[in-house]
Amino acid sequence: MIVLNDFVKQWSLIKNSAQNSLNRVGNSGWLILGKEVEQFETNLANLLGVKFAIGCANGLDALEISLRSLNIKPNDKVLTTPLSAFATTLAILKTGATPVFVDVDNQGLIDLNQCESALQNDPAIRFMVPVHLYGHPLNLKDMSILKKKYNTKIVEDCAQAILARFADDFVGNVGDMAAISLYPTKNLGCLGDGGVITTESESLAQMARSLRDYGQTQKYVHEFIGFNSRLDELQAAILNESLLPHLKNHTEKRMSIAQAYLQGIKNPLITLPSLTKDAQSVWHLFPILIQGSQKAFGQHMLNHGVQTAIHYPILITEQKALQSTDVKFEILADLKNAKHFANQQISLPIHPFLTTEEINQVIHACNQWIF
Ligand SMILES: *Cc1c(COP(=O)(O)O)cnc(C)c1O
């Protein structure tokens, strides 16, 4: 079976160096927020060309801590997308603010034109949480124009898009802050949960550092209502020694698999991703739109030995958690494109351990699809 993520192959690649990390951290006698986390933060900031990186417990917290660092208030409205991991909206709801949903574009990413109309029409919208979904970068030039024109605070959700670029810029550099998830399936996934916040602002970095650690400014001095959202030394050590060194290679591998799919899959019942030339995706997922039923397509692929998934089958706006009367949100459009993705999108395996034979098997299975 060709699986969506191969953690067993990942383990055989990293197990020697990960054992070293375990020994090093064990021998150091320091387990939470120490040298390894600092080193990881420095390594990541250098890699992304940002001034500050702040490790935390997961991607959800990275989003919420960023919003809280930007002083979001319960009555603020936040533009976001209905097609994402639920965590994107959950982070907004947990701050007490109101998510405002617009539709996605034809690649499944938040529609920046609809964002502009929303910002024009409602000055109460002060924040935006755009998502670089599937590893595809949003148009950073347009996003930066919106930010300046409407003075919008932006937290970029880069959970799926570490190292993705639009023109010469990495995602995460337009927003006031950006959130990255280190959840195992992500492009830089650790051996458990983890997250990172990036920012250019020293004061925002300081606030995020305080919020991740009970809102402390010094030991036992609590200035803010914070979180327990720390990255531990062991995860950071493994990231430093075993995972970060492969990130560039693994990203290039994903890109080359994507090229093979884009060239090899030729089926009028399948629509492939189509990005503008400035958009350099890191292919966290390889999303296709199919004609026919998702369930039948999934079964067809399984019959050819290929696992697939849907990202995402239920729009955030339709989740039960949002239907309770005390949850406030707004929907500004008909969400036609988002619904189309929920009903027709399929993700093909694109992890860095796929062999040429397996890639060809996926292509062949797609080309055999009829209904
Ligand atoms: C994974 C993910 C998150 C949440 O990250 P966790 O580390 O699982 O909390 C948020 N947004 C997007 C787009 C994601 O894919």
Side-chain angles (χ1 to χ4, degrees):
M1 183 62 62
I2 301 173
V3 292
L4 284 161
N5 293 292
D6 199 331
F7 300 116
V8 175
K9 280 197 183 141
Q10 175 175 269
W11 180 243
S12 48
L13 176 71
I14 68 169
K15 69 178 159 204
N16 290 333
S17 61
Q19 302 284 2
N20 281 341
S21 305
L22 178 59
N23 283 331
R24 191 168 70 243
V25 171
N27 286 328
S28 81
W30 194 278
L31 302 179
I32 300 273
L33 293 185
K35 287 203 181 87
E36 295 290 343
V37 170
E38 272 170 36
Q39 186 63 55
F40 171 66
E41 292 173 340
T42 305
N43 289 343
L44 201 71
N46 290 343
L47 181 68
L48 298 175
V50 289
K51 281 215 183 94
F52 302 99
I54 302 102
C56 64
N58 53 64
L60 170 67
D61 284 0
L63 287 165
E64 189 183 351
I65 291 172
S66 297
L67 290 167
R68 290 268 311 277
S69 299
L70 289 162
N71 202 21
I72 197 168
K73 294 281 187 263
N75 285 325
D76 284 326
K77 294 186 187 179
V78 187
L79 266 183
T80 194
T81 169
L83 187 75
S84 182
F86 189 67
T88 307
T89 289
L90 184 55
I92 297 167
L93 289 171
K94 288 180 77 194
T95 67
T98 303
V100 176
F101 296 97
V102 294
D103 203 1
V104 299
D105 62 18
N106 61 4
Q107 300 304 311
L109 278 68
I110 192 168
D111 184 328
L112 292 177
N113 293 322
Q114 288 193 12
C115 289
E116 165 130 46
S117 323
L119 290 165
Q120 249 165 16
N121 294 334
D122 186 353
I125 303 173
R126 294 184 50 236
F127 283 82
M128 204 171 140
V129 182
V131 181
H132 303 287
L133 195 71
Y134 306 135
H136 301 346
L138 276 154
N139 185 322
L140 296 181
K141 298 216 158 75
D142 289 349
M143 200 193 287
S144 160
I145 292 168
L146 285 188
K147 179 165 176 48
K148 290 199 187 96
K149 194 163 164 194
Y150 298 95
N151 197 19
T152 313
K153 301 258 185 254
I154 298 182
V155 175
E156 291 180 61
D157 184 337
C158 301
Q160 304 188 354
I162 189 167
L163 292 182
R165 281 202 246 198
F166 188 86
D168 291 330
D169 296 320
F170 285 123
V171 297
N173 287 345
V174 169
D176 301 275
M177 303 181 92
I180 295 169
S181 167
L182 306 174
Y183 184 74
T185 61
K186 302 297 159 77
N187 287 24
L188 180 65
C190 60
L191 303 185
D193 273 309
V196 196
I197 297 157
T198 61
T199 182
E200 287 294 313
S201 154
E202 184 165 13
S203 59
L204 290 174
Q206 230 173 32
M207 187 63 180
R209 276 182 212 291
S210 169
L211 286 177
R212 75 171 168 186
D213 195 16
Y214 308 140
Q216 295 186 102
T217 46
Q218 307 164 41
K219 205 164 170 61
Y220 304 130
V221 178
H222 299 268
E223 277 194 42
F224 313 104
I225 304 295
F227 300 68
N228 173 352
S229 184
R230 299 171 299 224
L231 183 63
D232 56 66
E233 286 285 281
L234 186 54
Q235 291 300 347
I238 293 170
L239 283 157
N240 286 332
E241 192 168 356
S242 306
L243 297 166
L244 263 178
H246 295 292
L247 180 62
K248 248 180 118 182
N249 253 338
H250 283 178
T251 303
E252 281 162 14
K253 187 75 204 287
R254 286 173 186 273
M255 288 174 177
S256 84
I257 298 167
Q259 283 316 309
Y261 287 166
L262 288 170
Q263 277 157 27
I265 299 172
K266 290 193 172 82
N267 183 334
L269 302 176
I270 295 177
T271 306
L272 298 169
S274 147
L275 304 177
T276 61
K277 82 171 186 350
D278 282 334
Q280 199 178 96
S281 178
V282 290
W283 302 101
H284 170 60
L285 298 167
F286 191 88
I288 59 174
L289 293 168
I290 59 140
Q291 287 179 45
S293 100
Q294 285 162 311
K295 199 167 161 219
F297 185 88
Q299 191 54 56
H300 162 83
M301 295 301 281
L302 278 182
N303 296 344
H304 282 79
V306 181
Q307 236 182 28
T308 59
I310 303 170
H311 294 94
Y312 292 87
I314 305 175
L315 295 186
I316 292 173
T317 45
E318 288 170 13
Q319 294 289 352
K320 197 169 170 198
L322 268 71
Q323 310 316 317
S324 142
T325 49
D326 48 303
V327 176
K328 279 193 298 181
F329 64 95
E330 292 176 21
I331 304 176
L332 297 186
D334 58 10
L335 308 187
K336 182 168 74 37
N337 290 342
K339 285 175 190 158
H340 186 62
F341 270 78
N343 294 327
Q344 309 300 151
Q345 189 275 355
I346 295 280
S347 297
L348 303 177
I350 192 162
H351 65 74
F353 303 99
L354 289 177
T355 64
T356 306
E357 206 172 56
E358 289 171 327
I359 294 165
N360 289 333
Q361 193 178 327
V362 174
I363 293 171
H364 176 75
C366 286
N367 289 342
Q368 296 296 305
W369 168 242
I370 44 161
F371 72 96

